[in-house]
């Protein structure tokens, strides 16, 4: 697909992702959906309102009435769509920097559109084939209140509130000025936790930290955990569909380790887990231990959702899926990433008296590194990928080309692939030691730099 990557379409707002583009995508989506009513929602980004206005105009132009939800976490949007039975144009760039914005398309079941549906929308955008109506058929707009409150109730009701409350936990929460600021601290309070917050004011400039909850952005949360003697630190991205954690000592918990801990609790023999090609050995080991299958997909939520649905249609139970970036699916709850629900499931693991560091200690053996190599043009990207392919051909390991190039060495692996959301080539490596992981990553990085 040319327009839609691994999780919607994104770009620098106005310069790359313009109101005109948002209008065209919305007209195309409304044409493909062919429904009377569609929702429009956004995260806290400063350009969200103007892009939502364009999206609403595009939908109205093809005859759709529009429910305007305002600033709403992505999982709350998914719930609204599923309950109301309508699709949504969601304006969000998730974890990207403040200058970015993006568009996700959510179906009437509350799930991001699968690849085939996105391709149909994309074809209408590129071909400018829109089912435009005249003035008599143009849609109207309704502002909808209460979506966030209903979402809070749904998460609290979906987990073991009594067990979490009985554990008397103190939680430090960093919503990162994103849409989760409006809902997630309240969810944890309703679960019986004592809640401390930082960066919890909705603000599209993201003054306290950048939207991606990676270690270098979580200093405030780590300090808050230590100062408040919290049992767990929870951080979310801009649209609150991911959750990453800080343990009771203020140390960052690798997303792959928290995913493995959650998977060990969720999986049984005969089940399947779904993850992307950059999957950690931790999840491989959990699946082996419990007798579950591990299915790999190209990186990105859309690809994981598609594979989960295929497996469920074939009669396979898939209780957990996701990636090591804090984006975890619990398909039996809802086939969408939900940062607050992910965190609540992790809080359930603490309810038996273990500390966060104890919960993840069995999965702390491997070290992950990630590097980004930016590029400025398609020609430069082609050179970088050509260098990666040549490097793989010469490597003493069997490549996996599901998405990019992954080399497994038994004790470690390295993966190189283009980002689906940014003009970068990503290099991932994992090993039992930092030196080994960096050695593998450095080998690929050197080949890419030579190509430039």
């Amino acid at each position: 697909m040319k327009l839609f990557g691994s999780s919607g379409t994104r770009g620098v707002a106005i310069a790359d992702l313009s109101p005109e583009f948002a209008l065209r995508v919305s007209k195309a989506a409304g044409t493909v959906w062919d429904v009377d009513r569609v929702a429009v929602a956004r995260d806290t980004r400063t350009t969200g309102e103007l892009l939502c206005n364009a999206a609403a105009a595009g939908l109205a132009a093809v005859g759709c009435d529009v429910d305007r939800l305002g600033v709403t976490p992505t999982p709350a949007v998914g719930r609204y769509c599923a309950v109301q039975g309508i699709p949504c144009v969601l304006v969000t760039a998730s974890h990207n920097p403040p200058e970015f914005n993006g568009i996700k398309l959510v179906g009437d079941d509350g799930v991001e559109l699968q690849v085939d549906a996105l391709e149909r929308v994309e074809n209408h955008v590129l071909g400018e084939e829109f089912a435009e109506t005249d003035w008599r058929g143009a849609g109207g707009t309704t502002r909808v209140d209460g979506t966030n409150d209903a979402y809070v109730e749904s998460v609290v009701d979906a987990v073991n509130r009594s067990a979490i409350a009985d554990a008397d936990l103190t939680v430090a929460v960093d919503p990162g000025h994103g849409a989760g600021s409006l809902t997630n601290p309240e969810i944890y309070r309703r679960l019986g936790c004592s809640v401390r917050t930082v960066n919890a004011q909705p603000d599209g400039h993201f003054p306290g930290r950048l939207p991606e909850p990676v270690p270098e952005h979580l200093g405030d949360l780590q300090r808050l955990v230590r100062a408040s003697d919290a049992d767990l630190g929870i951080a979310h991205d801009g649209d609150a569909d991911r959750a990453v954690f800080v343990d009771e000592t203020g140390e960052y918990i690798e997303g792959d380790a928290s995913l493995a801990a959650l998977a060990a609790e969720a999986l049984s023999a005969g089940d399947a887990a779904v993850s992307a090609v950059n999957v950690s050995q931790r999840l491989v080991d959990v699946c082996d231990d419990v007798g579950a299958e591990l299915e790999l997909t190209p990186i990105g939520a859309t690809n994981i959702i598609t594979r989960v649905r295929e497996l469920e249609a074939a009669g396979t139970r898939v209780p957990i899926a996701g990636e090591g970036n804090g984006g975890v699916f619990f398909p039996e709850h809802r086939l969408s990433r939900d940062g607050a629900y992910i965190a609540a499931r992790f809080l359930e693991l603490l309810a038996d008296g273990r500390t966060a560091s104890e919960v993840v200690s069995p999965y702390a053996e491997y070290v992950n590194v990630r590097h980004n190599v930016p590029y400025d043009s398609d020609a430069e990207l082609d050179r970088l990928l050509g260098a990666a392919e040549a490097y793989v051909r010469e490597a003493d390991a069997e490549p996996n080309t599901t998405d990019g190039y992954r080399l497994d060495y038994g004790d470690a692996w390295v993966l190189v692939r283009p980002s689906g959301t940014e003009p970068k080539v990503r290099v991932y490596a994992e090993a039992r030691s930092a030196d080994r992981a960096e050695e593998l990553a450095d080998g690929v990085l050197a080949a890419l730099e030579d190509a430039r």
Side-chain angles (χ1 to χ4, degrees), residues 106-287:
V106 181
D108 59 10
D109 56 357
V111 179
E112 290 181 46
L113 295 194
Q114 297 180 79
V115 173
D116 59 343
L118 286 173
E119 288 176 341
R120 290 199 298 274
V121 174
E122 182 171 295
N123 288 338
H124 280 268
V125 175
L126 297 175
E128 298 196 11
E129 299 171 358
F130 310 126
E132 292 175 318
T133 185
D134 61 18
W135 65 271
R136 290 163 294 193
T141 296
T142 302
R143 293 196 176 273
V144 177
D145 297 320
T147 302
N148 290 338
D149 292 338
Y151 165 68
V152 169
E153 291 279 355
S154 72
V155 175
V156 172
D157 290 344
V159 296
N160 192 341
R161 181 193 179 281
S162 60
I164 296 171
D166 289 346
D168 193 26
L169 300 170
T170 297
V171 176
V173 183
D174 181 354
H177 302 293
S181 303
L182 301 176
T183 55
N184 294 13
E186 178 62 18
I187 287 172
Y188 307 131
R189 292 187 188 99
R190 296 278 297 278
L191 290 174
C193 299
S194 177
V195 177
R196 309 288 185 267
T197 62
V198 65
N199 302 321
Q201 305 78 29
D203 191 328
H205 294 94
F206 302 96
R209 73 161 169 88
L210 293 174
E212 187 169 16
V214 290
E216 55 266 33
H217 297 162
L218 300 182
D220 288 344
L221 179 62
Q222 291 174 302
R223 286 186 287 273
L224 179 60
V225 167
R226 296 183 182 112
S228 63
D229 197 25
D231 297 288
L232 184 69
I234 303 169
H236 299 293
D237 58 336
D239 66 336
D241 67 348
R242 290 162 50 184
V244 301
F245 306 109
V246 170
D247 72 17
E248 75 282 357
T249 70
E251 291 299 313
Y252 173 76
I253 295 175
E254 291 283 349
D256 288 309
S258 57
L259 172 58
L262 291 164
E265 180 70 16
L267 288 166
S268 300
D271 291 342
V274 179
S275 191
V277 70
N278 62 340
V279 64
S280 169
Q281 189 67 31
R282 299 167 175 89
L283 186 56
V284 175
D285 292 343
V286 167
C287 290

Side-chain angles (χ1 to χ4, degrees), residues 5-8 10-11 95-96 100 417-424 426:
S6 58
S7 188
R10 299 180 195 170
H95 65 275
N96 288 100
F100 280 73
R417 65 175 292 276
S419 168
T421 59
E422 299 177 271
K424 297 176 181 177
R426 303 198 191 280

Side-chain angles (χ1 to χ4, degrees), residues 1 4-8 95 115 275-279 296-305 322-325 329 337 370 401-406 413 415-421 426-428:
M1 292 185 291
F4 294 99
S6 58
S7 188
H95 65 275
V115 173
S275 191
V277 70
N278 62 340
V279 64
L296 298 186
T297 74
I299 290 173
T302 301
N303 299 307
I304 290 174
I305 289 167
E323 300 172 275
N325 60 3
F329 296 84
R337 299 181 299 193
R370 187 177 85 169
T401 58
T402 299
D403 182 5
Y405 303 96
R406 174 173 168 137
W413 57 266
L415 168 70
V416 55
R417 65 175 292 276
S419 168
T421 59
R426 303 198 191 280
V427 178
Y428 309 81

